[in-house]
Amino acid sequence: MTKKGSTVCNCANKIMYTLNPSFYVRVKEKIKGNWGVIFLASAIISMISTTLVFSGSIGEFATVFGDLQTYGSQYIMQSSKIGRSSNFFGQIFPILIASILQLSLNIELISFLKTGKFQIVNLFRHIQENPKVVVICGAIMGLIQLVLSSIPVVGPFAYFVVSFMFIYVGFIVALKKDMEIQDYFKESINLTKGYKMQLFKVFLHYYLFVILFSISLLISVVLMTIGVTGGEIIILIVIGVILFFASAIGMLVISVRNTPLYLLANAMFFEEQLQHEGIEL
């Protein structure tokens, strides 16, 4: 990473790029005419991942069910071990595939910012053109997610924090295709120093109401549970059901509307940060 006119970026003396309200206006302007195709690309990644998870679960069920039919009840313990092993690999493979495709999506977003064209087919073309870097970097991102998210209670929060450190990896791959694998992650860590809070603000801008609806969804479940266990208190059950469906619909609508905007916002923040600091990759 270098600054224009120099060979080394003196990051200690850099003038920080700061978010301003017009940033979100620029994101909306940039995505015009392309919201649908970016959403479709994101949806395809989700569908591929979900399909792999579902097919893995069906295969695991068939394996265990077949073992029980063949060997009887004395084989239950061994089958459960096979099931746990299959479940682990059934989780890791979809996560790795989704992470690789997500990284490729980030590459295409940088290309979109430069050319004004977003092509879904490029999700697979980027992998084909630079398989070593895209696949390995994407897989590492997936493994980080899998390992941290599997830690009870604190794991998902730890992954959420760490994800901001590596949020630039795909963008850097788009600009530099011949770096060492570890350097993509080091560069992302370096570039996000001092910017994680601003990146978090970008996340909150698009997903704050999703978080609030998630909380209200949990509250609705508590209300319905209290209503049923407390002697079928009808009013609590009714309120809980209404709140549940309202929260679920709210989460879905906002997630669908804002996901393409958030994906593009991250890429635009990255690009504008580099331009502001005069950094060339």
Side-chain angles (χ1 to χ4, degrees):
M1 176 182 68
T2 61
K3 271 193 172 183
K4 294 177 181 177
S6 65
T7 56
V8 179
C9 171
N10 188 354
C11 296
N13 298 323
K14 66 183 178 183
I15 301 174
M16 301 289 288
Y17 170 67
T18 305
L19 272 175
N20 56 73
S22 66
F23 172 78
Y24 302 107
V25 176
R26 293 195 300 276
V27 173
K28 285 185 177 180
E29 288 296 320
K30 187 65 179 179
I31 207 171
K32 281 183 178 178
N34 291 279
W35 179 92
V37 71
I38 295 175
F39 169 76
L40 184 58
S42 177
I44 287 173
I45 294 173
S46 297
M47 285 188 293
I48 290 174
S49 177
T50 302
T51 300
L52 290 172
V53 170
F54 182 73
S55 62
S57 299
I58 294 296
E60 178 186 336
F61 172 78
T63 299
V64 175
F65 184 72
D67 288 336
L68 288 174
Q69 281 189 316
T70 303
Y71 299 103
S73 59
Q74 72 273 18
Y75 200 69
I76 289 177
M77 291 302 295
Q78 186 173 348
S79 295
S80 65
K81 293 178 181 178
I82 294 174
R84 284 195 297 270
S85 176
S86 299
N87 186 52
F88 174 78
F89 289 105
Q91 288 178 1
I92 190 172
F93 186 64
I95 289 176
L96 294 183
I97 295 299
S99 295
I100 292 168
L101 289 173
Q102 184 62 51
L103 189 136
S104 186
L105 172 57
N106 286 341
I107 295 173
E108 183 61 15
L109 286 169
I110 293 297
S111 176
F112 168 68
L113 291 178
K114 296 183 180 300
T115 66
K117 296 179 180 179
F118 187 99
Q119 296 180 304
I120 293 178
V121 68
N122 285 345
L123 293 182
F124 306 98
R125 186 172 295 160
H126 293 311
I127 299 172
Q128 183 180 13
E129 291 177 350
N130 195 10
K132 176 185 174 182
V133 171
V134 176
V135 171
I136 294 178
C137 286
I140 291 173
M141 296 286 286
L143 287 173
I144 292 172
Q145 176 184 352
L146 183 70
V147 171
L148 290 180
S149 298
S150 64
I151 300 173
V153 184
V154 299
F157 297 100
Y159 170 69
F160 181 75
V161 173
V162 170
S163 66
F164 287 108
M165 295 171 58
F166 301 127
I167 198 169
Y168 285 172
V169 170
F171 306 144
I172 298 169
V173 171
L175 299 178
K176 296 287 288 185
K177 302 181 185 300
D178 56 354
M179 293 171 62
E180 296 295 328
I181 298 298
Q182 66 272 16
D183 290 337
Y184 290 107
F185 292 87
K186 290 178 181 178
E187 197 69 51
S188 182
I189 292 172
N190 188 38
L191 286 171
T192 55
K193 283 181 180 176
Y195 285 103
K196 295 180 187 64
M197 183 53 67
Q198 291 197 64
L199 290 167
F200 177 64
K201 288 179 181 178
V202 174
F203 172 83
L204 282 182
H205 179 84
Y206 293 107
Y207 288 113
L208 175 60
F209 282 99
V210 173
I211 295 172
L212 294 177
F213 278 127
S214 299
I215 294 172
S216 66
L217 198 67
L218 292 174
I219 294 173
S220 71
V221 173
V222 172
L223 289 175
M224 287 187 288
T225 302
I226 294 174
V228 172
T229 58
E232 297 185 0
I233 305 175
I234 301 299
I235 186 64
L236 288 181
I237 297 175
V238 172
I239 293 174
V241 170
I242 294 173
L243 185 60
F244 178 87
F245 283 104
S247 301
I249 292 171
M251 286 177 61
L252 179 62
V253 170
I254 293 177
S255 294
V256 167
R257 185 191 68 184
N258 285 357
T259 292
L261 290 165
Y262 175 65
L263 293 172
L264 182 60
N266 285 331
M268 287 183 62
F269 187 96
F270 170 78
E271 185 179 69
E272 293 184 9
Q273 177 190 336
L274 295 189
Q275 292 174 352
H276 178 81
E277 296 179 10
I279 296 173
E280 293 180 341
L281 289 176

